[in-house]
Amino acid sequence: MSRRLLTVLLVVCALAAVTGGSPGVSQQGPSSGAGAHPRADSLLQAGPMVGYGTHREVQLWVQTSRPADVRLRYWSRTTARGDTASPAAIPDPDTATTAVQRTSAEGSHIARFTVSALEPGNTYVYELYLNGQRVERPYPLRFQTQPLWQWRTDPPDITMAIGSCAYINDPTYDRPGNPYGGDERIFRSIAAKNPDLMLWMGDNVYYREVDWATPTMMEARYAHTRRAEALQPLLGHTHNYATWDDHDYGPNNSDRSYRQKDASLRIFKQYWANPNYGRPDVPGVFGKFQWGDVDVFLLDDRYHRSPTGAPRTDDKTMWGEAQRQWLIDALTTSDAPFKLVVNGGQVITPKAQYETGARFPQEQSLLLEALRERQVEGVVFLSGDRHITELLQRRPEGFYPIYEFTNSPLTAGAVTEGKNPNRVDGTLVEQRNFGTLTISGPREDRVLTLRTFDADGGLLWERTIRAQALTVPDDTSEEE
């Protein structure tokens, strides 16, 4: 055998040894065809993320670092008795796979899977395959379908996590000095609470000065934030819903005049998996979903917004007339014991500072008066933006107390805050934090428990609100 032939054979053997298997990547699963593939985990940029979920359908989201074939494999861990089987139990007859999706640069290398015909009240485990190879993740991958409790049992207990203002440092393009973002472990603390879903209440991404002029760089900022390592477990096994505020819409305090607002709306829809966005004739990120017996209304306080500093005329608006009327009608129609209205900025405070609803006094009054005139019960507002956390309460005459749970920031910088006569004592938090809402109790006596936690998951405060306390007083008349 010649020396040249021996050298070729040695090279071929070495290549076979390298490509025969990669540590931590299983060779089982769907095949994407012939040909060599890069190591599967190097193809994953962000996710997978669990999006909306209903009784029989969920949506899942994945982003790859370059073109790849993406497929999911999933199965139920819920037995016929209603309990949960061991994650090692994979009954082949009950295992399903999605169709393959090929990611591309034109689609930001994003694959989105709508998985339907599931069974209600089940917990499903799923696996991710890229180019036919299973991608191992160091945390559970699972989603759930909502239980079919209607006409059968009391509604299930529900826990929602909430937060806003998530700043992921990028030193090259950040403001000079001390890093503005920090404590990214907070995302792992949220995931450790095992909430049913996470409500992202705006400023979920911070566009920088180098970003908001062009859609290309806006997408790059979203991708940078989404691939934060500490964020991945929360995305992978919690249902995620989102609205926006100024920093993930455009520049600071941006409004309807922002020239890239249509690109911003497109990018938001690319990176989130809400069940609906706006209406056919009214663009925006606003929408509604139901979880258990709770209705959640996500508002868009940017796309149609008048400049905050504009004169306080009758037509000055945070939401636009069409969105405001949609909200009022949808709240009127809802029979949920708790109707959660989520807005990027504060809504009910009478303090006309920053970008609060009080800067839009006519619209704030229109909304609160509509709730009273239509006798809409069970409304609770949720908001972010302020870089503080507080629970606000207003008591309209002849009506029930209206609460607003403001929760901020997640990883952006916190600030100090002065007095607010509408603040519930003991609820001001001036550090990075997140919140949860737990709805529990029998159908006729549901209770909402609000909690705030520090970045390590330690409890800071807790308050409870009974649905019965958010009902119209019996002596309230049509004329009042």
Side-chain angles (χ1 to χ4, degrees):
M1 181 180 295
S2 69
R3 178 175 298 177
R4 180 177 180 182
L5 179 58
L6 178 60
T7 301
V8 170
L9 289 174
L10 289 173
V11 169
V12 169
C13 290
L15 287 173
V18 169
T19 59
S22 299
V25 179
S26 171
Q27 298 300 310
Q28 63 174 327
S31 173
S32 61
H37 296 288
R39 182 184 170 97
D41 54 4
S42 70
L43 289 170
L44 180 62
Q45 174 154 293
M49 178 186 77
V50 183
Y52 75 81
T54 69
H55 293 93
R56 302 202 66 195
E57 182 175 290
V58 302
Q59 192 167 100
L60 298 108
W61 178 101
V62 180
Q63 186 173 41
T64 60
S65 58
R66 51 188 179 274
D69 290 340
V70 186
R71 189 174 233 179
L72 301 175
R73 181 178 182 228
Y74 59 94
W75 62 93
S76 174
R77 285 178 52 195
T78 304
T79 69
R81 297 188 304 273
D83 54 6
T84 302
S86 164
I90 308 176
D92 288 337
D94 296 328
T95 301
T97 58
T98 66
V100 172
Q101 290 192 32
R102 180 74 178 175
T103 62
S104 66
E106 293 75 15
S108 301
H109 296 116
I110 290 171
R112 189 186 306 272
F113 298 89
T114 301
V115 183
S116 303
L118 302 167
E119 290 304 316
N122 276 235
T123 297
Y124 289 82
V125 176
Y126 68 98
E127 296 172 338
L128 171 65
Y129 292 85
L130 298 180
N131 287 346
Q133 296 180 317
R134 181 183 170 194
V135 180
E136 297 278 3
R137 307 307 293 148
Y139 48 83
L141 295 179
R142 63 176 182 265
F143 59 84
Q144 62 175 303
T145 51
Q146 296 189 40
L148 183 58
W149 62 271
Q150 292 87 342
W151 307 102
R152 292 163 176 81
T153 65
D154 283 328
D157 291 352
I158 305 163
T159 295
M160 306 179 183
I162 63 171
S164 67
C165 304
Y167 189 101
I168 305 301
N169 292 326
D170 189 0
T172 302
Y173 304 109
D174 289 348
R175 61 187 71 178
N178 293 329
Y180 187 59
D183 292 333
E184 291 181 22
R185 66 187 184 281
I186 196 170
F187 299 125
R188 298 188 187 277
S189 298
I190 299 172
K193 300 295 182 185
N194 288 315
D196 295 295
L197 59 97
M198 172 71 184
L199 286 175
W200 297 85
M201 302 191 300
D203 294 340
N204 312 311
V205 170
Y206 273 72
Y207 289 134
R208 318 300 207 258
E209 290 83 356
V210 296
D211 302 328
W212 60 60
T214 67
T216 301
M217 300 318 301
M218 292 163 69
E219 287 194 44
R221 177 59 55 200
Y222 241 107
H224 172 267
T225 297
R226 183 57 60 86
R227 67 174 176 261
E229 182 181 357
L231 182 58
Q232 303 312 306
L234 179 60
L235 299 178
H237 61 69
T238 303
H239 291 261
N240 291 269
Y241 296 80
T243 188
W244 62 16
D245 200 32
D246 52 342
H247 292 290
D248 46 351
Y249 168 74
N252 186 44
N253 298 343
S254 44
D255 52 51
R256 65 192 180 194
S257 67
Y258 176 45
R259 64 185 182 87
Q260 296 289 2
K261 69 178 188 177
D262 289 320
S264 186
L265 178 58
R266 174 182 59 80
I267 294 167
F268 183 95
K269 292 179 180 179
Q270 275 187 312
Y271 278 84
W272 294 106
N274 291 353
N276 46 73
Y277 301 94
R279 289 297 175 264
D281 57 340
V282 187
V285 302
F286 66 95
K288 175 192 171 186
F289 70 92
Q290 184 178 61
W291 198 281
D293 62 337
V294 176
D295 284 343
V296 182
F297 305 83
L298 301 171
L299 298 185
D300 182 337
D301 67 348
R302 292 295 158 183
Y303 193 93
H304 303 278
R305 184 190 191 100
S306 304
T308 302
R312 297 178 188 178
T313 58
D314 288 347
D315 59 354
K316 185 179 181 181
T317 180
M318 182 186 294
W319 303 302
E321 182 180 358
Q323 181 184 183
R324 183 180 69 243
Q325 191 59 50
W326 164 82
L327 173 64
I328 292 170
D329 289 343
L331 288 170
T332 304
T333 303
S334 172
D335 60 0
F338 292 108
K339 304 167 182 64
L340 306 180
V341 180
V342 185
N343 195 59
Q346 287 186 324
V347 176
I348 71 168
T349 179
K351 294 183 68 174
Q353 59 180 359
Y354 309 115
E355 291 196 294
T356 67
R359 301 292 296 272
F360 304 80
Q362 288 81 2
E363 189 163 55
Q364 185 188 61
S365 296
L366 278 172
L367 176 59
L368 296 179
E369 186 59 29
L371 298 181
R372 186 179 172 205
E373 286 181 349
R374 299 187 180 205
Q375 301 199 1
V376 180
E377 300 182 330
V379 175
V380 176
F381 290 90
L382 307 175
S383 59
D385 176 58
R386 291 294 321 286
H387 296 256
I388 60 163
T389 284
E390 61 184 355
L391 179 63
L392 302 177
Q393 182 193 77
R394 286 190 71 168
R395 291 184 172 271
E397 184 179 354
F399 205 55
Y400 62 85
I402 296 180
Y403 291 92
E404 179 167 359
F405 185 8
T406 298
N407 187 269
S408 171
L410 287 166
T411 60
V415 300
T416 57
E417 178 69 6
K419 294 181 178 180
N420 187 330
N422 294 96
R423 183 185 301 136
V424 175
D425 289 344
T427 64
L428 176 63
V429 176
E430 299 169 312
Q431 65 185 70
R432 293 175 177 128
N433 71 102
F434 67 95
T436 63
L437 295 83
T438 297
I439 300 92
S440 59
R443 183 167 58 89
E444 299 299 329
D445 188 20
R446 296 291 267 172
V447 177
L448 172 63
T449 303
L450 310 175
R451 296 182 177 94
T452 296
F453 300 90
D454 64 23
D456 293 312
L459 181 65
L460 297 174
W461 60 257
E462 175 181 319
R463 299 292 187 277
T464 59
I465 304 171
R466 305 186 81 86
Q468 294 174 359
L470 304 183
T471 56
V472 178
D474 291 338
D475 59 352
T476 300
S477 67
E478 292 286 338
E479 289 74 30
E480 284 185 317

